[in-house]
Amino acid sequence: MLEVILKGHDKYYGVADVVRLFCGVPEEVKDEHKIIAPEGPDATLINELFEDGRSVTYCNGKEYEFKGELLEPGREIKRSLYLALADVTSKELPWGCLTGIRPTLVACEEESAKDLEDKYFARSDKAKLAFETSREEQRLLALIPEDSLCIYVGIPFCPSRCEYCSFISSDISCHMDRLVHYEAALEREINMVASSINRPISAVYVGGGTPTVFEEREFDRLLNCLYSNLKITPECEVTVEAGRPDSITDGKLESMREHKVTRICINPQTMRSETLLRLGRKHTAEDTVRIYRQACDMGFDLINMDLIAGLPYEDAEEHVNSTKKLIEFSPANITVHTLYKKRRAAMSRSKVMDQEDEGIRLDRSVAQSYELLIEAGYHPYYMYRQKDTGHGLENTGFAKGNTGNLYNVAMMSDCRDVLSFGAGGMSKRCFKQDGELFKRRVERCATIKDALSYMARVEEMAQKKIEFFEM
Ligand code: SF4
C-alpha cells in the first residue's frame, strides 16, 4: 500500500492525479492530507510545499526535488512527487507529471517541445505531439471569430449499447417511439432559443450517441429545423456524427447531402469484424467500408473515421492493422482514441503486472499508429486526455491538409462560446481575462442529463439557456 502525506499545502486533487497514473485509483479517504493507493508499492511519501515555492517529496530517507526554475506551486508539488514515484515504482510515464486533460494548453506556454521534456518529464514523442498539436489548434482557433457561436446538438440514443461505452446513451432498440418525442423536444428547444440568439455561427456538431439512430423522416426534420432556425451560412462547418455504420441509410446520406453537411463521421473503431460483433456493435468492418465508399461516391469529401486502441477482444497489433487499413481508404480525418480500463482494485499482483504489460503494449501500438498516420500525410490537430484512460494516454485527431475540425478545437480550447441543445448538453461562455493569452474564465450552463426528464422539461431548459446567453 502506498501512502502520500501532504505537508504545507492542500492540493489533494493534484497529488491524487499523479498517484492515479502510477498506482491506479486512490482510495476515497476523508482526510484531505493523505492519499492511499492500495495497489502501489509499500511506501510512505511526504509531499511538502515550502513558503518559497519549492516542493520536496521525501521517501525512504531520500529527498526528491526538481532543481531549476520554479513553476507555480500546483505544478511544483507534482514535479517532486513524480520524481519520487518514478524512483519508487521504477516507472516513467509517457506524459511525465502532466496530468490535465489538455497538455496542449501547457504546450502553448512553452517555446519548444524540449521545454515539455525538461520541465514536465514528458517523453520526447509526447512532447513533440503536444507542441505541434498546440500550434495547429491555435491556427484553427484563429479561424473562428471571437464573437461567433459553436452549436452542439446531442442525441443520447444508439441502435445498441457497445460494451465499452462510457457515454450517457440509451439503447433504443426497445423504445423507438421515444425518438419521435425526443426529436420534437429538440425542435421546440431550438425554436425557442434560436430566436433570441443573434450571433454568427461558426461550427455545428450533431453528436451523441448516434444521431443517425433517427428514422429518415425525423432525421431530415432535425436537419431542417437546424438550418431554418440558425444562421448557418455556406462557410459554416457542419458535422454530423453518423457514427455507427448500422444506422446509416441512403435516405439519411441524401438528407445530409441536400442540407450541405460539410463533414460526417463514420466510425469503425476497429477494422476487425469479430471484435465489433463481440462488443455489441451490430456491424462489420465490411459494412463500414461499404458505407464509406457510398458516402464518397455521393460527394462527401470530408469524412472522419474514429479508431479505438485498447478495445477488449483484440490485441495491440490489431489496432495497428486497423490503422493501416483506414489509411488505405484515405479519409480526410482519422481520430485515434485510447481505451484502457485501469481500475486495479481487487486484482491479484500478477494481474496488475499483466495489465501493466498491456499498458506498455498499448502505448507502443498508439505510437506506431501515429507514425503510420504521419508518414501517410496526416498531422495532429487536436488532442485531449481523460482521467481513466489507460497508461495516461490521449485521444488525438489527425487531419490531412486544412481539414481539422473547428468545433473540436473550439470545444477543447474553452476559448469560444458553445450553445448546446439536447439532454446532457453543456453550454458555455468563455470570457477573456487580463494578462491571460490562452486561458479564459468559463461559465457553464448544464442541461438535464436524463432524456425523459429533458423531454418533459424542455421549455424550462430552453429558458435557462436564453437567460444564460443574455447575461
Ligand atoms: S455508438 Fe458510441 S455512444 Fe453509442 S453505445 Fe457505442 S460507444 Fe456508446
Side-chain angles (χ1 to χ4, degrees):
M1 183 183 81
L2 182 121
E3 188 178 61
V4 183
I5 295 166
L6 282 54
K7 198 170 164 193
H9 70 89
D10 58 1
K11 299 183 185 303
Y12 176 91
Y13 292 104
V15 171
D17 284 345
V18 179
V19 170
R20 170 193 295 261
L21 287 171
F22 279 99
C23 308
V25 182
E27 263 177 18
E28 293 277 338
V29 284
K30 295 252 177 327
D31 181 352
E32 294 210 335
H33 288 91
K34 188 193 280 183
I35 287 161
I36 295 172
E39 302 300 328
D42 289 334
T44 298
L45 286 75
I46 298 169
N47 177 252
E48 183 162 10
L49 181 69
F50 295 94
E51 277 184 6
D52 62 5
R54 285 183 312 117
S55 172
V56 179
T57 297
Y58 306 89
C59 181
N60 297 334
K62 285 193 190 171
E63 294 185 5
Y64 300 86
E65 179 182 4
F66 179 81
K67 304 280 187 197
E69 191 191 332
L70 286 182
L71 299 175
E72 51 105 356
R75 292 181 181 180
E76 213 51 58
I77 54 158
K78 288 184 189 176
R79 290 209 291 199
S80 74
L81 181 62
Y82 180 89
L83 291 172
L85 283 172
D87 191 21
V88 170
T89 61
S90 306
K91 276 201 279 186
E92 288 187 354
L93 302 176
W95 285 101
C97 65
L98 286 172
T99 57
I101 61 166
R102 293 157 60 199
T104 50
L105 197 58
V106 181
C108 283
E109 300 166 5
E110 303 300 344
E111 284 175 7
S112 71
K114 185 79 171 49
D115 288 334
L116 295 169
E117 294 178 47
D118 295 345
K119 294 186 186 175
Y120 302 96
F121 323 119
R123 208 170 60 200
S124 61
D125 59 324
K126 296 299 180 197
K128 188 165 180 278
L129 175 73
F131 190 76
E132 288 177 0
T133 310
S134 73
R135 270 40 188 182
E136 183 62 356
E137 282 179 357
Q138 291 305 310
R139 189 187 73 77
L140 293 170
L141 198 58
L143 302 175
I144 310 172
E146 294 254 358
D147 64 339
S148 72
L149 203 53
C150 295
I151 304 286
Y152 181 79
V153 185
I155 321 293
F157 300 104
C158 289
S160 65
R161 182 110 181 135
C162 308
E163 190 183 295
Y164 58 86
C165 183
S166 57
F167 300 106
I168 300 170
S169 182
S170 311
D171 175 348
I172 204 65
S173 49
C174 305
H175 306 283
M176 285 305 284
D177 54 320
R178 273 192 201 159
L179 286 175
V180 178
H181 299 302
Y182 188 77
E183 195 279 327
L186 273 176
E187 279 197 42
R188 180 79 186 121
E189 192 188 13
I190 294 167
N191 279 325
M192 275 180 74
V193 179
S195 59
S196 73
I197 300 287
N198 191 23
R199 289 171 63 175
I201 290 167
S202 48
V204 178
Y205 196 102
V206 186
T210 306
T212 38
V213 72
F214 286 123
E215 294 291 343
E216 289 178 359
R217 198 174 67 114
E218 275 73 40
F219 184 70
D220 193 57
R221 281 185 64 132
L222 176 62
L223 292 182
N224 275 336
C225 174
L226 279 171
Y227 278 80
S228 57
N229 281 281
L230 300 168
K231 295 183 184 70
I232 300 178
T233 61
E235 296 74 43
C236 181
E237 173 196 273
V238 182
T239 299
V240 175
E241 204 174 325
R244 296 257 298 249
D246 49 333
S247 67
I248 306 172
T249 62
D250 295 358
K252 291 177 213 177
L253 284 172
E254 194 51 54
S255 181
M256 288 189 278
R257 182 166 70 170
E258 273 175 17
H259 284 95
K260 301 199 170 33
V261 166
T262 54
R263 178 179 185 263
I264 61 171
C265 305
I266 300 170
N267 298 331
Q269 316 300 19
T270 169
M271 292 302 282
R272 186 169 177 266
S273 297
E274 191 192 326
T275 311
L276 290 166
L277 296 172
R278 289 182 74 182
L279 289 168
R281 276 182 71 88
K282 299 198 172 158
H283 67 87
T284 61
E286 292 69 36
D287 293 331
T288 309
V289 174
R290 181 176 48 79
I291 295 289
Y292 173 76
R293 293 217 163 104
Q294 193 177 338
C296 292
D297 290 347
M298 288 175 74
F300 290 98
D301 55 4
L302 213 172
I303 298 177
N304 171 69
M305 300 182 97
D306 278 1
L307 284 175
I308 302 179
L311 283 172
Y313 314 121
E314 64 176 34
D315 57 29
E317 290 70 37
E318 275 150 349
H319 164 67
V320 177
N321 288 337
S322 293
T323 308
K324 286 181 186 161
K325 284 186 187 156
L326 279 204
I327 287 172
E328 284 171 23
F329 298 118
S330 193
N333 295 173
I334 294 180
T335 309
V336 180
H337 296 263
T338 310
L339 179 98
Y340 172 68
K341 303 229 168 60
K342 68 180 190 108
R343 278 207 162 268
R344 314 193 305 172
M347 270 188 204
S348 65
R349 177 87 193 139
S350 62
K351 192 98 195 268
V352 169
M353 305 258 291
D354 282 354
Q355 201 167 28
E356 281 173 7
D357 286 349
E358 198 185 309
I360 291 165
R361 285 197 296 275
L362 176 65
D363 183 9
R364 280 199 205 115
S365 72
V366 169
Q368 216 177 326
S369 274
Y370 290 179
E371 275 169 28
L372 290 166
L373 286 162
I374 288 165
E375 267 170 33
Y378 291 86
H379 61 269
Y381 76 92
Y382 97 113
M383 63 172 293
Y384 63 99
R385 296 165 76 202
Q386 286 159 303
K387 253 201 174 128
D388 280 327
T389 304
H391 215 56
L393 292 173
E394 67 288 333
N395 305 316
T396 308
F398 286 85
K400 277 190 168 175
N402 196 20
T403 62
N405 183 252
L406 298 181
Y407 177 84
N408 285 336
V409 171
M411 180 63 195
M412 288 316 297
S413 71
D414 275 350
C415 286
R416 294 293 182 274
D417 293 356
V418 177
L419 166 58
S420 186
F421 294 111
M426 181 66 77
S427 298
K428 59 184 175 184
R429 296 184 66 187
C430 310
F431 298 93
K432 269 189 174 170
Q433 303 183 95
D434 285 347
E436 288 283 2
L437 210 52
F438 305 112
K439 284 188 196 154
R440 309 232 166 162
R441 179 174 64 79
V442 181
E443 291 190 6
R444 293 182 163 80
C445 173
T447 307
I448 196 160
K449 286 185 179 161
D450 175 64
L452 290 177
S453 307
Y454 164 78
M455 289 185 250
R457 294 170 54 189
V458 64
E459 291 178 3
E460 176 195 332
M461 296 295 118
Q463 192 54 41
K464 193 171 142 188
K465 255 164 254 185
I466 292 168
E467 286 162 20
F468 178 69
F469 279 95
E470 271 172 3
M471 281 190 309

